[in-house]
Amino acid sequence: MFKLVLIGFGGALGSVLRYLLGGWIQRATSVSFPTGTLFINVSGCFAIGFLGMLFTGPLLIREEYRVAILVGILGGYTTFSTFGRETFMLAGDNQVLYAVTNLLLSNTFGLVAVWLGHRLAEHWFGV
């Protein structure tokens, strides 16, 4: 039960962070391309790659805290459901180039960010 409470609390925290940071970035860029969502997805992928590596090696933490961070906070923070809807809406608004660009950038940069976070954690902690 304690694990579920931590996941729920982490999810709420991640969702609020996603809303505030993603919205701020979107307003700062002032374009119709979903830059806020792209940033959230890439940074969330980096964080899960980095922390996932740490939590399975040099920085062992209790399972409930690991799950609260990786599933709760980062699950609430990343926005692939929002990404899907925004990409769909762009395509529906005849902004197909933006839709395809968002699809390619989010997936490519997301996977690269997971890899980079993983490798950086390995390097910093000598794993």
Side-chain angles (χ1 to χ4, degrees):
M1 182 63 158
F2 181 60
K3 187 189 315 185
L4 294 177
V5 170
L6 288 176
I7 291 169
F9 179 75
L13 179 65
S15 295
V16 169
L17 184 59
R18 173 186 68 208
Y19 175 78
L20 294 174
L21 184 59
W24 178 78
I25 289 170
Q26 191 62 46
R27 285 186 302 280
T29 57
S30 301
V31 295
S32 61
F33 185 81
T35 11
T37 302
L38 177 62
F39 176 83
I40 295 298
N41 285 338
V42 173
S43 63
C45 286
F46 175 83
I48 205 165
F50 186 86
L51 295 174
M53 173 60 203
L54 285 185
F55 296 163
T56 59
L59 185 61
L60 297 175
I61 63 171
R62 291 176 49 176
E63 180 191 2
E64 58 267 25
Y65 298 124
R66 178 183 53 79
V67 172
I69 294 167
L70 297 179
V71 174
I73 295 172
L74 291 177
Y77 176 75
T78 56
T79 57
F80 268 87
S81 58
T82 302
F83 151 77
R85 183 173 189 278
E86 288 176 343
T87 304
F88 180 78
M89 297 303 287
L90 285 169
D93 290 340
N94 287 328
Q95 296 187 48
V96 176
L97 181 59
Y98 271 173
V100 170
T101 300
N102 193 37
L103 179 73
L104 294 174
L105 290 177
S106 292
N107 286 291
T108 301
F109 289 156
L111 290 171
V112 169
V114 168
W115 175 83
L116 183 60
H118 183 93
R119 294 296 179 215
L120 190 58
E122 280 182 330
H123 176 73
W124 282 357
F125 294 93
V127 177

